[in-house]
Amino acid sequence: MASIVSVVTGQLRHMPAGGLPHDIFALGIASKIRIDRNSTAMASSDFGRIVEAAPEAVLHPATPSDIAAFIRFSASSPAPFPVSPRGQGHSVRGQSLAPGGVVVDMPTLGRGHHSRINVSADYVDSGGEQLWIDILRATLEQGLAPRVWTDYLHITVGGTLSNAGIGGQAFRHGPQIANVEELDVVTGTGDMVTCSREKSSDLFFAALGGLGQFGVITRARIMLEQAPKRVRWVRLAYSDVAMFTRDQELLISKRASEARFDYVEGQVQLNMTLAEGPKSTPFFSEADINRLAGLASQSSSAAIYIMEVAMYYNDTTASYVDKKLEKILEQLSFVPGFVFTKDVRYVQFLDRVREEEEVLRSAGLWDVPHPWLNLFIPRSRILDFDTGVIKGLLGGTNPVGVILMYPMNTAKWDDRMTAMAPLAGEDMFYTVALLRSAVDASDLEILEGENEAVLSFCDKEGIECKQYLPHHKSEDGWKQHFGTRWSRIAELKAKFDPHAILSPGQRIFPSPHLLSDT
């Protein structure tokens, strides 16, 4: 150990002023701390490629107790330093970064000999570092699967549960955080706590959707259901947004017949994107794109709308799929003839974005800035938002990326959890996700300006929206985000992370300053 300490502290002399306490390398986990430039550089940016902030070090824990010991050290130091768990770094505004502190490389938890995914009859116990795609593979071996999925599966359990985890199944089962029975959490004091709705419930509800502010999720018990084998995957085109939203709301409401879909989402296709964008996609052929572009050119609108739905089935129900689909489609008001279907394996459907990722990577369009803006919009204002933003601010644009628009049922969200939905007292709200990419520097400035214009429009028009994967530049912005729940959030922060060392990249609470010399 002495030789390790001498080498590491030798490197430490070259670190900028305000580095970590020197006695950090006397810890029993010193060998798992990396301060070399390659390690810190890899933890200095995220998927967004907008914010860069270098940590002083990276921790590669082998067990949750390593994380606990490290956080206890920081919390007990004269100058506590920031600590941020990082799974796949899929944040877009530096939320997973730890400027001047330590990034915890969560994937190293899953590289030991002990399995961190354990499947039972009703649930799966998963390490917080595990990817959802690996959860899917493990549970399918038992004929089971979680009930709710994000659209992209190559992100971690702890990462999505720290936000909410939304997708096309959330209208029925709620977000992923509503489908968790138990958590193991390492708090900002270094305590290792097992919590649930019945046990240490304040930490349980705080951590779910808590943006990493109250603890590091190291294990989650996630509810399962019987897994289907195949999926009838359908996209329907609309030229009228009122009919599009009416049909979406019908399909997720109690008024829908029992022969309904298992997944409901929707996309906005801007006319310029159809005319000047890709000539085919992993779902749409070139002929399909040409037909959609023709529909857009005939429409007086600046966009057309694509409802994306799916029906799950197994061998025993395969013979009923066509009849069930026909029965549902009879109730809907899409443009006649604009029905596009695919029949795929369940895994292929859930992991569909991976194919799109490969296309973007091959075109050099994946590792670029992603100035994403995700909003929850009250149901009563979605048409106003469409008029002012989709047809107004964005109507003449041709961005690289996707615009999602689909509703969820408010009753499926538990307001005891930290994740925020619109507070308008309505039975439904919409997700509108501007998932756009900046191919060059000028694109980034333009897209950032459009995002600001969207938020200004909502504020000016009194549209009470909430950001999902939120980013606010000031404490006032966060106070507005949490509204009447701000004081409770502050109380929980003081209880579970009194030194405000966890996840400083969220910029919710002031982070401690590092001492210039120790």
Side-chain angles (χ1 to χ4, degrees):
M1 179 61 71
S3 63
I4 293 175
V5 173
S6 65
V7 170
V8 174
T9 52
Q11 294 175 352
L12 193 62
R13 295 191 188 100
H14 298 94
M15 295 170 69
L20 302 175
H22 286 205
D23 56 348
I24 195 172
F25 298 103
L27 293 174
I29 56 173
S31 63
K32 298 167 186 173
I33 301 170
R34 304 283 186 270
I35 63 171
D36 61 280
R37 186 167 297 177
N38 286 341
S39 295
T40 57
M42 290 182 65
S44 297
S45 64
D46 60 8
F47 177 73
R49 297 289 191 273
I50 298 171
V51 176
E52 289 192 3
E56 295 283 359
V58 178
L59 174 68
H60 294 273
T63 65
S65 61
D66 290 343
I67 300 173
F70 197 80
I71 290 177
R72 282 196 299 271
F73 176 83
S74 175
S76 63
S77 296
F81 51 84
V83 178
S84 181
R86 174 187 170 93
Q88 295 298 298
H90 208 72
S91 60
V92 296
R93 299 280 176 180
Q95 292 95 330
S96 62
L97 307 184
V102 177
V103 165
V104 180
D105 185 54
M106 294 297 288
T108 58
L109 283 175
R111 294 172 187 167
H113 297 294
H114 179 66
S115 172
R116 296 274 294 165
I117 302 176
N118 298 296
V119 183
S120 299
D122 301 315
Y123 60 82
V124 56
D125 277 324
S126 166
E129 79 288 346
Q130 295 295 320
L131 301 183
W132 283 99
I133 183 64
D134 294 323
I135 302 297
L136 176 60
R137 290 166 179 157
T139 54
L140 283 180
E141 291 180 0
Q142 307 297 323
L144 302 167
R147 304 192 295 185
V148 182
W149 300 93
T150 54
D151 291 336
Y152 185 61
L153 304 188
H154 297 259
I155 47 180
T156 61
V157 168
T160 65
L161 296 184
S162 294
N163 288 281
I166 60 174
Q169 305 87 0
F171 78 90
R172 180 173 297 174
H173 301 294
Q176 288 179 327
I177 55 175
N179 292 270
V180 175
E181 293 184 340
E182 188 176 87
L183 295 173
D184 284 347
V185 178
V186 179
T187 70
T189 57
D191 294 320
M192 300 175 66
V193 182
T194 297
C195 53
S196 66
R197 287 173 175 81
E198 295 76 32
K199 180 180 179 182
S200 301
S201 60
D202 53 351
L203 178 59
F204 178 77
F205 291 122
L208 292 170
L211 305 174
Q213 294 304 297
F214 313 104
V216 180
I217 296 173
T218 59
R219 179 186 65 89
R221 178 165 291 179
I222 302 161
M223 290 182 254
L224 301 177
E225 65 180 1
Q226 291 295 314
K229 289 185 177 180
R230 297 195 65 83
V231 175
R232 184 63 56 84
W233 184 8
V234 183
R235 291 184 178 179
L236 311 167
Y238 291 75
S239 57
D240 186 318
V241 67
M243 291 183 177
F244 170 71
T245 54
R246 185 190 66 186
D247 281 358
Q248 284 188 314
E249 292 169 14
L250 170 66
L251 290 177
I252 75 166
S253 72
K254 294 180 179 179
R255 295 178 292 123
S257 67
E258 292 187 7
R260 55 181 178 166
F261 291 111
D262 298 284
Y263 164 103
V264 177
E265 285 196 13
Q267 298 181 15
V268 180
Q269 291 282 350
L270 300 176
N271 287 5
M272 282 189 64
T273 301
L274 285 169
E276 302 175 12
K279 299 307 178 185
S280 65
T281 72
F283 185 95
F284 289 122
S285 67
E286 183 175 357
D288 295 336
I289 294 291
N290 289 336
R291 288 189 65 210
L292 292 169
L295 176 64
S297 66
Q298 297 168 16
S299 171
S300 58
S301 172
I304 62 172
Y305 305 83
I306 309 294
M307 184 154 65
E308 182 174 49
V309 292
M311 185 179 292
Y312 301 162
Y313 68 95
N314 290 312
D315 295 339
T316 56
T317 57
S319 60
Y320 304 107
V321 171
D322 289 338
K323 186 175 293 186
K324 288 174 64 177
L325 178 59
E326 182 179 354
K327 183 177 180 180
I328 299 176
L329 295 184
E330 287 174 352
Q331 305 173 53
L332 306 180
S333 302
F334 55 90
V335 178
F338 281 83
V339 180
F340 307 88
T341 65
K342 294 181 72 171
D343 201 274
V344 297
R345 293 179 297 111
Y346 182 58
V347 174
Q348 183 181 352
F349 172 72
L350 292 182
D351 200 27
R352 61 197 177 279
V353 177
R354 188 65 164 186
E355 185 177 352
E356 297 178 10
E357 175 187 348
E358 292 171 355
V359 172
L360 292 173
R361 283 190 183 279
S362 65
L365 298 176
W366 184 260
D367 294 318
V368 297
H370 299 96
W372 288 4
L373 179 63
N374 296 268
L375 299 174
F376 291 157
I377 307 293
R379 174 191 190 183
S380 62
R381 303 304 303 274
I382 191 61
L383 296 184
D384 295 332
F385 183 91
D386 177 80
T387 298
V389 174
I390 302 300
K391 295 184 175 69
L393 295 172
L394 306 181
T397 64
N398 177 26
V400 174
V402 178
I403 300 176
L404 302 180
M405 182 191 291
Y406 61 93
M408 290 180 281
N409 289 310
T410 306
K412 297 297 182 179
W413 288 65
D414 190 331
D415 61 9
R416 292 173 293 180
M417 298 175 182
T418 309
M420 297 298 297
L423 303 177
E426 302 183 11
D427 60 345
M428 295 180 187
F429 63 90
Y430 276 78
T431 290
V432 178
L434 308 180
L435 309 181
R436 304 178 298 170
S437 300
V439 179
D440 56 43
S442 62
D443 289 342
L444 179 59
E445 183 177 353
I446 291 169
L447 294 175
E448 290 280 62
E450 289 174 356
N451 287 343
E452 290 297 325
V454 170
L455 294 172
S456 295
F457 171 82
C458 291
D459 184 59
K460 179 181 178 181
E461 296 298 319
I463 298 177
E464 188 184 348
C465 66
K466 294 293 181 184
Q467 288 189 37
Y468 178 61
L469 309 178
H471 168 72
H472 296 283
K473 299 177 181 179
S474 67
E475 184 176 287
D476 287 342
W478 284 109
K479 286 182 177 179
Q480 183 176 358
H481 175 80
F482 288 111
T484 58
R485 293 164 64 181
W486 171 254
S487 60
R488 177 58 175 164
I489 297 296
E491 289 174 6
L492 292 167
K493 184 68 172 179
K495 179 177 181 179
F496 295 116
D497 184 21
H499 301 288
I501 63 177
L502 294 177
S503 298
Q506 297 283 1
R507 300 182 181 180
I508 302 175
F509 298 95
S511 296
H513 295 289
L514 303 178
L515 293 179
S516 59
D517 193 7
T518 51

